[in-house]
Amino acid sequence: MAYAAVTSLMRTIHQSMELTGCDLQPFYEKLESLRAILEKSCNVTGDHEELTILEVEILEVAYTTEDMVDSESRSVFLAQNLEERNRAMWEIFFVLEQALECIDSTVKQWMATSDSMKDLKPQTSSLVSLPDHAFEQPENIMVGRENEFEMMLDQLVRGGRELEVVSIVGMGGIGKTTLATKLYSDPYIMSRFDIRAKATVSQEYCVRNVLLGLLSLTSDEPDDQLADRLQKHLKGRRYLVVIDDIWTTKAWDGIKLCFPDCYKGSRILLTTRNVEVAEYASSGKPPHHMRLMNFDESWNLLHKKIFEKEGSYSPEFENIGKQIALKCGGLPLAITVIAGLLSKISKTLDEWQNVAENVSSVVSTDLEAKCMRVLALSYHHLPSHLKPCFLYFAIFAEDERISVTKLVELWAVEGFLNEEEGKSIEEVAETCINELVDRSLISIHNLSFDGKIESCGMHDVTRELCLREARNMNFVNVIRGKSDQNSCAQSMQRSFKSRSRIRIHKLEELAWCRNSEAHSIIMLGGFECVTLELSFKLVRVLDLGLNTWPIFPSGVLSLIHLRYLSLRFNPCLQQYQGSKEAVPSSIIDIPLSISSLCYLQTFKLNLPFPSYYPFILPSEILTMPQLRTLCMDWNYLRSHEPTENRLVLKNLQCLNQLNPRYCTGSFFRLFPNLKKLQVFGVPEDFRNSQDLYDFRYLYQLEELTFRLYYPYAACFLKNTAPSGSTPQDPLRFQTEILHKEIDFGGTAPPTLLLPPPDAFPQNLKSLTFRGEFSVAWKDLSIVGKLPKLEVLILSWNAFIGKEWEVVEEGFPHLNFLFLDDVYIRYWRASSDHFPYLERLILRDCRNLDSIPRDFADITTLALIDIDYCQQSVVNSAKQIQQDIQDNYGSSIEVHTRHLFIPKSVTTVEDDDDSVTTDEDDDDDDFEKEVASCRNNVE
């Protein structure tokens, strides 16, 4: 992890330059050159004690230097006079000079050591010497793969006379080699092709070995003569060549010219773990992605291997066997390894049950099968910049669906991502996620409408590899609780010595972190907290967002290195419950000194749910210069108006839960690079700010959400600045029961007045209205004028009236429309109003009569997804589907889940069953539902 540590130090230097104005560029460039050396030298495989010692030295120097640069840069930032500032700046230069001298010396030793190992063969303990075909057996793993076999057979024997490359891609142990071997040995294939040849490339690529393998000979001839011999041998014949276990595009480039195209219908079959390699080599056709087995296929494979082979077993053993098959997660190699173990242990229910309860760890530790060696190849072949990204997944729970948004936020602050010119750190993180998917190390759970990954996960067996490597590198330590106290104490003792990341589940485990030098502390378990002793002074990531604290833990203010902070606590305003007195102006939930956390990049504040009381926050929360993401929940800012000395937050990318009272042009001038904004408040907040909205200065804004918070009762600010008031005057709040009066006719006064089109950000791509704003449907014509709008989400009766008649130009660039729990009956629109619509999602539109028939002329339409609507809506969708087929010869998908069937034919106002007024769903639940709807087309 020396590469990651140097990268993190470079990020710290860059942040120091932004904060202090010091010219540290020479130090940054020197580290960049040293990092390049480490990257090239990291290809040495195996366990080498000398390199490990040198790597630890680099780690310790880099992390210690980071802490010292942080401290001195903060001193420059907070200096009261020129003398203090100059002293701190001198300290920064001195620390960096000393550190670079030490790192440079260690890297030179690293180079000398690694150079001496280049010609050595991998040690017997190396994980790169065993390709996955060494453990896959066709008779075992092809069970349930008949359809895949037939499909691939068809690809090889059909098609044109040109030479074609067909690729099979998938994670280690999924059966790629087995499928290729079965195809190679099939009688029909043997009769069709004049020549068949196969070779394994493997991670340790050697073109000579591949050529010798394809020629099935041993020879002292030079490589170019071998290549010429292979060409002549294949020329003029129909051949099938299997290239197994290829890892890089470079390896393919080294051998592809050996295969002549004689227009005989020859084929090359590749197997790889890397999508990039598969797509690079394939002849235009998409590679075949091998899928994990479903439960029936997994059980059939285990049954064939154990129960058929070993004889009869009682039903109790079969029940446990089914549990084991399920827990293998559909990975054939894991099932085969477990089957081998079960055949050797005693046939007792207790023994089998023990295996069932520990499937992942059994697979990862079975020495005879060595399943981990197969999977570890993928990790050890990763480039240096991706290894910390992979190991970071150890921080998440087993089977967790990991939010990519959360993952990107964490990676962005951890420091190990390379900065790339022209790309934000978030874009770099997303690229890394895609690379890990392409290398079959993580899997996709949900995609967004535009093809981006919204949630991902990791196979249990791969996760065991991740946990093992993360512990070995002291990159992540998982504290598992009282049942594992010895290993916990050992892990904690080790993590004190260097900057590990710690994942904990219980409050007492947090106490074990006392005085640690942990880099990151992430809590997964949710519980009520009374006090919090924050003695881990060097922590950079502190995620306590699942735990509720009675007040803001003041100890956080001493954690000066923080980059990421997530907290949940009760607002101070709650103590004034039932009081008729005005709240004193001194009340505030977060101290003004929060601004001293000058490195904070992500700050998340969460209220316990449900909450009737808002946070009262200082305006100083907006003076932290490194902020990139700020989520504040329902809040009011004290003295929010910008002043002359207010900082412009150039780094702020995402601002969530901004009270509508502050949506003014002067306020938004502070955030010139903001990309995501959520405006959030109770109805009175929106009503008191209808003339303030002015987003025109948010030139970079791409996503805008208006969300109405509607608790049963709310304590809201009566007026931001009463006439004649001063900042010292008490705040006056009003607490009342909020009654939702649903108006289907469109006569209620609107809670939200839309600003004119020129006051909207002109680069806006996504717009969401969630809550009963009582805006008239005709006002959506303002939204239609936005020049780049692609996504529109309308939820919870945001717009009212029985009829939505789309007028004027409509929505000329919209490609995704989601109507959720809106109460229109009639929808009047033509294809000209939505000329580029691709996906239409209708959820809980129980009164809608039909989809406009003219939508059959939208040539881009690909999906209509319907849930909890009337049968007439489904009928209209299917009619559109049929019309598109008849008129254009193309097809669209129509998905229907639940139907809404009214008890009787009534008016909207009389039909109680057609109204849903429960709005206490979580934001997360709503986003998951949106993601699910968006993903249905996949």
Side-chain angles (χ1 to χ4, degrees):
M1 288 294 109
Y3 179 91
V6 171
T7 300
S8 184
L9 177 55
M10 291 169 62
R11 287 285 307 278
T12 296
I13 291 174
H14 180 75
Q15 289 166 352
S16 177
M17 287 191 286
E18 286 189 336
L19 195 69
T20 66
C22 294
D23 182 12
L24 306 177
Q25 191 64 26
F27 298 109
Y28 186 93
E29 292 173 357
K30 177 62 176 177
L31 282 170
E32 197 168 29
S33 64
L34 293 174
R35 185 178 67 176
I37 295 171
L38 287 172
E39 185 174 18
K40 292 178 182 178
S41 302
C42 281
N43 293 327
V44 178
T45 56
D47 297 323
H48 300 290
E49 185 177 353
E50 292 177 66
L51 288 181
T52 301
I53 294 172
L54 294 173
E55 184 167 24
V56 170
E57 288 182 21
I58 295 173
L59 283 168
E60 293 300 328
V61 172
Y63 287 144
T64 301
T65 305
E66 275 194 277
D67 297 334
M68 296 175 71
V69 170
D70 266 2
S71 298
E72 297 303 331
S73 298
R74 184 172 179 269
S75 297
V76 173
F77 181 69
L78 300 176
Q80 300 295 314
N81 54 59
L82 186 61
E83 183 181 352
E84 288 182 12
R85 178 179 172 84
N86 289 339
R87 185 204 59 77
M89 290 175 63
W90 183 87
E91 284 291 341
I92 295 173
F93 281 93
F94 177 76
V95 165
L96 287 175
E97 285 176 356
Q98 294 292 106
L100 262 87
E101 183 179 337
C102 182
I103 293 175
D104 187 30
S105 172
T106 310
V107 168
K108 287 177 181 176
Q109 295 179 58
W110 177 292
M111 289 173 61
T113 305
S114 59
D115 285 344
S116 67
M117 296 175 177
K118 281 183 179 178
D119 297 327
L120 297 178
K121 294 181 179 180
Q123 298 178 9
T124 55
S125 59
S126 171
L127 296 176
V128 301
S129 58
L130 296 172
D132 50 5
H133 64 267
F135 302 109
E136 297 175 355
Q137 300 298 323
E139 68 274 14
N140 293 332
I141 297 182
M142 284 308 298
V143 174
R145 300 285 194 179
E146 291 79 10
N147 290 338
E148 285 187 287
F149 172 79
E150 293 296 333
M151 184 178 68
M152 294 305 299
L153 182 67
D154 187 67
Q155 281 198 45
L156 292 174
V157 301
R158 295 186 184 274
R161 297 177 60 82
E162 297 86 357
L163 172 65
E164 290 185 8
V165 180
V166 179
S167 298
I168 303 173
V169 66
M171 67 183 292
I174 204 169
K176 302 181 299 296
T177 298
T178 301
L179 177 56
T181 301
K182 185 171 176 62
L183 288 165
Y184 182 85
S185 304
D186 183 75
Y188 183 63
I189 290 288
M190 295 171 69
S191 64
R192 178 173 175 78
F193 292 95
D194 302 325
I195 296 178
R196 295 174 304 123
K198 60 181 178 178
T200 299
V201 179
S202 294
Q203 188 182 22
E204 297 295 319
Y205 167 63
C206 174
V207 66
R208 180 178 184 82
N209 291 342
V210 174
L211 295 173
L212 290 173
L214 291 173
L215 290 167
S216 298
L217 52 78
T218 58
S219 172
D220 295 329
E221 294 178 70
D223 291 358
D224 57 344
Q225 292 184 19
L226 289 173
D228 185 59
R229 181 191 286 203
L230 178 60
Q231 268 200 335
K232 290 177 180 178
H233 185 60
L234 298 176
K235 196 167 186 177
R237 302 184 184 185
R238 180 188 293 161
Y239 59 84
L240 171 68
V241 172
V242 175
I243 304 296
D244 186 32
D245 199 25
I246 187 167
W247 287 78
T248 65
T249 56
K250 182 180 177 181
W252 171 245
D253 286 338
I255 58 175
K256 68 179 181 181
L257 297 179
C258 298
F259 307 117
D261 187 357
C262 306
Y263 297 95
K264 296 282 188 178
S266 297
R267 299 290 183 265
I268 299 173
L269 181 61
L270 299 183
T271 74
T272 181
R273 304 185 189 193
N274 195 331
V275 173
E276 179 191 7
V277 175
E279 292 178 342
Y280 179 81
S282 291
S283 305
K285 294 182 179 179
H288 172 65
H289 291 258
M290 289 200 73
R291 60 174 177 81
L292 294 166
M293 289 180 163
N294 60 33
F295 168 72
D296 289 336
E297 292 165 344
S298 299
W299 169 236
N300 288 338
L301 175 57
L302 188 66
H303 190 276
K304 182 179 181 65
K305 178 68 178 176
I306 292 295
F307 295 94
E308 289 183 10
K309 190 173 181 180
E310 298 292 329
S312 61
Y313 284 81
S314 67
E316 290 82 3
F317 280 97
E318 289 206 5
N319 288 335
I320 298 176
K322 289 178 178 178
Q323 295 177 34
I324 293 172
L326 182 64
K327 290 184 177 182
C328 283
L331 186 65
L333 183 58
I335 298 170
T336 303
V337 169
I338 287 289
L341 176 64
L342 292 176
S343 66
K344 294 178 174 61
I345 64 175
S346 61
K347 295 179 175 57
T348 65
L349 290 175
D350 287 344
E351 289 271 12
W352 278 47
Q353 188 62 46
N354 183 55
V355 171
E357 291 170 359
N358 301 279
V359 167
S360 296
S361 58
V362 167
V363 169
S364 67
T365 55
D366 184 85
L367 296 178
E368 182 177 350
K370 299 181 178 63
C371 183
M372 279 296 101
R373 293 197 176 192
V374 173
L375 299 177
L377 283 170
S378 294
Y379 167 70
H380 288 284
H381 193 264
L382 285 175
S384 301
H385 73 278
L386 286 181
K387 285 185 177 179
C389 297
F390 173 76
L391 297 183
Y392 202 84
F393 279 85
I395 209 83
F396 298 102
E398 185 176 5
D399 298 324
E400 181 175 351
R401 291 200 167 203
I402 302 161
S403 164
V404 166
T405 300
K406 173 73 174 288
L407 183 63
V408 167
E409 287 174 351
L410 289 169
W411 280 1
V413 300
E414 283 284 358
F416 52 66
L417 293 179
N418 294 345
E419 294 194 45
E420 297 181 21
E421 189 173 351
K423 281 187 175 183
S424 68
I425 201 70
E426 289 81 8
E427 289 170 331
V428 171
E430 289 171 2
T431 299
C432 292
I433 291 171
N434 284 311
E435 288 188 66
L436 290 174
V437 170
D438 288 348
R439 292 169 182 271
S440 306
L441 284 168
I442 62 174
S443 57
I444 300 171
H445 284 311
N446 278 320
L447 290 173
S448 68
F449 73 98
D450 56 357
K452 291 185 178 180
I453 304 171
E454 291 199 331
S455 63
C456 60
M458 182 175 278
H459 191 280
D460 287 351
V461 178
T462 307
R463 182 175 175 273
E464 284 295 323
L465 165 69
C466 180
L467 287 170
R468 174 184 294 184
E469 294 293 337
R471 282 194 298 266
N472 289 343
M473 298 304 301
N474 199 33
F475 191 79
V476 171
N477 281 288
V478 179
I479 311 302
R480 298 179 183 268
K482 291 183 177 179
S483 62
D484 194 22
Q485 283 192 13
N486 289 334
S487 61
C488 285
Q490 189 175 14
S491 293
M492 287 304 306
Q493 185 178 7
R494 188 180 182 189
S495 69
F496 293 154
K497 297 177 181 178
S498 64
R499 305 295 302 282
S500 177
R501 292 149 187 89
I502 300 174
R503 191 189 88 208
I504 54 183
H505 297 80
K506 299 179 181 179
L507 185 59
E508 60 265 27
E509 296 165 5
L510 184 61
W512 297 344
C513 300
R514 187 179 295 114
N515 298 322
S516 80
E517 295 183 358
H519 189 289
S520 307
I521 295 178
I522 296 179
M523 297 202 67
L524 295 183
F527 46 79
E528 295 286 334
C529 303
V530 180
T531 59
L532 177 62
E533 183 181 348
L534 300 174
S535 54
F536 25 89
K537 301 300 182 183
L538 300 179
V539 70
R540 293 186 165 213
V541 174
L542 183 60
D543 188 348
L544 305 175
L546 294 178
N547 320 110
T548 303
W549 311 89
I551 58 173
F552 176 82
S554 58
V556 165
L557 299 174
S558 66
L559 307 180
I560 64 170
H561 303 282
L562 276 179
R563 265 72 170 168
Y564 181 103
L565 176 61
S566 179
L567 290 172
R568 182 192 303 269
F569 61 91
N570 291 304
C572 294
L573 194 62
Q574 186 170 357
Q575 64 185 282
Y576 292 90
Q577 180 178 7
S579 173
K580 295 183 180 180
E581 298 296 324
V583 176
S585 60
S586 59
I587 185 171
I588 207 161
D589 289 286
I590 295 180
L592 276 59
S593 53
I594 189 70
S595 60
S596 65
L597 299 179
C598 53
Y599 301 108
L600 202 59
Q601 297 176 36
T602 296
F603 191 12
K604 294 185 174 184
L605 292 174
N606 302 296
L607 289 166
F609 187 83
S611 180
Y612 309 133
Y613 300 92
F615 286 131
I616 309 300
L617 304 177
S619 57
E620 282 73 12
I621 202 171
L622 294 170
T623 62
M624 290 178 280
Q626 296 290 324
L627 269 183
R628 301 182 66 85
T629 298
L630 177 60
C631 304
M632 301 183 289
D633 219 313
W634 181 30
N635 69 85
Y636 296 103
L637 292 176
R638 191 70 175 130
S639 303
H640 73 277
E641 286 299 325
T643 58
E644 290 184 3
N645 60 354
R646 181 64 56 83
L647 287 172
V648 175
L649 300 184
K650 295 181 180 180
N651 292 310
L652 194 66
Q653 305 276 315
C654 176
L655 178 56
N656 273 356
Q657 292 102 17
L658 178 69
N659 196 294
R661 295 169 182 257
Y662 314 132
C663 292
T664 63
S666 58
F667 192 77
F668 286 138
R669 283 178 182 270
L670 301 174
F671 321 122
N673 296 311
L674 196 66
K675 291 185 177 180
K676 297 180 181 180
L677 172 65
Q678 183 188 82
V679 182
F680 177 90
V682 296
E684 288 302 316
D685 294 332
F686 281 94
R687 292 192 184 104
N688 286 332
S689 55
Q690 291 183 342
D691 299 326
L692 299 178
Y693 302 112
D694 188 351
F695 303 95
R696 74 187 75 205
Y697 297 109
L698 298 178
Y699 302 111
Q700 306 300 321
L701 196 70
E702 297 179 354
E703 296 182 26
L704 174 60
T705 297
F706 293 95
R707 182 177 173 233
L708 193 65
Y709 182 47
Y710 222 130
Y712 171 73
C715 179
F716 55 87
L717 190 63
K718 290 182 65 175
N719 202 321
T720 306
S723 177
S725 66
T726 67
Q728 288 73 37
D729 288 343
L731 301 172
R732 297 191 176 274
F733 289 86
Q734 178 176 331
T735 303
E736 65 178 44
I737 305 299
L738 299 180
H739 299 283
K740 286 190 248 179
E741 297 179 0
I742 301 174
D743 180 1
F744 301 105
T747 59
T751 303
L752 171 68
L753 288 182
L754 297 183
D758 63 347
F760 269 105
Q762 297 303 294
N763 283 312
L764 199 65
K765 295 180 180 179
S766 177
L767 181 59
T768 298
F769 296 91
R770 187 181 182 212
E772 292 166 4
F773 291 110
S774 300
V775 181
W777 286 103
K778 62 182 179 63
D779 290 340
L780 267 178
S781 60
I782 296 174
V783 173
K785 292 181 172 65
L786 296 176
K788 297 183 180 180
L789 190 68
E790 299 176 354
V791 177
L792 180 61
I793 300 172
L794 309 177
S795 177
W796 279 3
N797 202 32
F799 289 74
I800 59 172
K802 297 179 183 178
E803 181 175 336
W804 179 18
E805 182 175 0
V806 185
V807 296
E808 300 177 358
E809 295 86 358
F811 302 85
H813 302 287
L814 203 69
N815 56 45
F816 180 85
L817 177 60
F818 188 0
L819 302 182
D820 166 44
D821 201 5
V822 296
Y823 303 135
I824 57 168
R825 182 179 290 279
Y826 307 110
W827 187 5
R828 317 292 187 196
S830 73
S831 58
D832 293 336
H833 292 130
F834 299 92
Y836 293 105
L837 189 66
E838 297 177 9
R839 305 185 188 188
L840 172 63
I841 314 297
L842 302 174
R843 189 188 71 179
D844 210 12
C845 300
R846 303 185 179 194
N847 305 292
L848 184 63
D849 174 72
S850 62
I851 303 169
R853 176 74 177 269
D854 201 36
F855 277 25
D857 291 324
I858 302 177
T859 56
T860 56
L861 194 61
L863 169 71
I864 300 176
D865 187 283
I866 301 168
D867 190 18
Y868 274 115
C869 296
Q870 297 188 55
Q871 182 65 50
S872 59
V873 175
V874 177
N875 295 341
S876 65
K878 292 186 175 179
Q879 185 61 56
I880 290 170
Q881 183 183 43
Q882 186 62 50
D883 290 348
I884 289 176
Q885 176 66 41
D886 296 341
N887 298 334
Y888 300 100
S890 56
S891 61
I892 70 167
E893 294 186 49
V894 174
H895 295 173
T896 304
R897 289 187 290 280
H898 308 94
L899 281 180
F900 171 66
I901 304 175
K903 292 182 180 178
S904 61
V905 180
T906 61
T907 63
V908 177
E909 292 88 345
D910 295 331
D911 186 2
D912 292 336
D913 288 332
S914 69
V915 179
T916 301
T917 59
D918 180 11
E919 295 182 3
D920 289 338
D921 295 343
D922 231 343
D923 253 349
D924 290 343
D925 294 335
F926 177 72
E927 293 301 328
K928 288 175 184 175
E929 290 165 354
V930 173
S932 176
C933 290
R934 288 173 171 176
N935 199 38
N936 276 326
V937 77
E938 300 300 327

